Amino acid sequence: KATSHLLMGPDWAVNLEICDIINADVWQTKDVVKAVKKRLQHKDPKVQYYALTLLETMMKNCGEYVQFEVAEQHVLQEMVKIIQKKNDMQVRDKILLLLDSWQEAFGGPGGKYRQYHWAYLEVKRTGVVFPRRPIDAPPILTPPAIHNSQNYGSPGYAAGSLNERMSSDVDTLSLGDLNNIRNVTELLNDMVYALNPSDPE
């Protein structure tokens, strides 16, 4: 719906609703990013442009989970491919702007997600000139909300051994809970697999 070819312009309400869904349940991030990637592969430049707008909105509003999955699900390579095909100018310029701003926001070649810088370099190597960003452009990534540290830490449990608590919790797990646990372990697996053991950071 957020990337429909029938839209006359970006549907900000739907885009932000998608961000709210991700922020409420981060384990859906992978599937949402995969769906956006699929829309980027659409032949209609209008659909591609709305997919890029949605992706930009998610990057700004959903934090690390989206940033990680965009790199992990090869969305950046898909964006580079679109530029290499010399597609619609509006789509091309949007991708160039995003790649340039993202690689800078993540600290360039020595940054947290080097895939963003690699994608930027891959495009630059082909001789493409990146458009200048407006001076009054809004921040690329919205800083995370600062939470009061007293909200964190171990919750206070009632008396009773951990084993007792765990066995009683297992009885109340629904199919949805089990699916969430599976999604969490899949995401953890993806994150661990993406780590470079020779990189101390």
Side-chain angles (χ1 to χ4, degrees):
K1 190 177 172 186
T3 62
S4 169
H5 68 284
L6 300 172
L7 291 171
M8 298 307 292
D11 189 332
W12 296 111
V14 175
N15 287 356
L16 292 171
E17 188 183 337
I18 291 168
C19 291
D20 288 343
I21 289 166
I22 291 172
N23 288 329
D25 181 10
V26 293
W27 314 118
Q28 292 196 50
T29 307
K30 186 175 183 176
D31 292 333
V32 174
V33 170
K34 278 183 176 177
V36 173
K37 181 184 175 184
K38 199 168 184 182
R39 295 302 276 171
L40 275 176
Q41 295 165 337
H42 200 280
K43 287 177 183 169
D44 186 340
K46 204 173 176 185
V47 172
Q48 290 179 322
Y49 186 80
Y50 293 144
L52 289 166
T53 305
L54 172 59
L55 188 62
E56 180 183 20
T57 309
M58 287 160 52
M59 287 285 285
K60 283 183 177 178
N61 295 289
C62 302
E64 266 192 86
Y65 290 96
V66 168
Q67 294 155 19
F68 171 80
E69 289 296 350
V70 166
E72 189 66 13
Q73 299 302 324
H74 309 294
V75 175
L76 300 167
Q77 286 92 319
E78 198 59 47
M79 292 167 75
V80 171
K81 268 190 223 168
I82 293 169
I83 289 172
Q84 289 168 344
K85 287 177 188 167
K86 296 181 171 60
N87 276 29
D88 180 83
M89 286 304 288
Q90 189 186 22
V91 170
R92 183 178 175 277
D93 285 350
K94 181 78 170 172
I95 290 174
L96 291 174
L97 205 64
L98 292 176
L99 288 179
D100 184 23
S101 55
W102 289 345
Q103 68 88 23
E104 187 183 287
F106 290 123
K112 185 171 186 179
Y113 298 113
R114 292 177 190 148
Q115 298 96 318
Y116 289 88
H117 187 69
W118 294 337
Y120 167 80
L121 285 182
E122 199 174 329
V123 172
K124 207 168 184 182
R125 266 190 225 108
T126 63
V128 172
V129 178
F130 283 81
R132 285 190 162 204
R133 266 179 280 148
I135 298 165
D136 59 347
I140 311 308
L141 302 171
T142 308
I146 296 167
H147 299 286
N148 193 332
S149 59
Q150 69 188 23
N151 295 338
Y152 293 93
S154 302
Y157 289 126
S161 76
L162 183 61
N163 284 343
E164 284 170 15
R165 284 197 53 77
M166 285 175 70
S167 60
S168 67
D169 286 350
V170 168
D171 296 338
T172 60
L173 286 175
S174 69
L175 186 59
D177 293 331
L178 293 171
N179 277 332
N180 281 342
I181 292 167
R182 188 195 50 157
N183 290 340
V184 171
T185 52
E186 278 179 14
L187 181 65
L188 179 61
N189 184 53
D190 288 348
M191 291 172 81
V192 171
Y193 184 74
L195 290 175
N196 179 357
S198 62
D199 183 357
E201 286 182 14

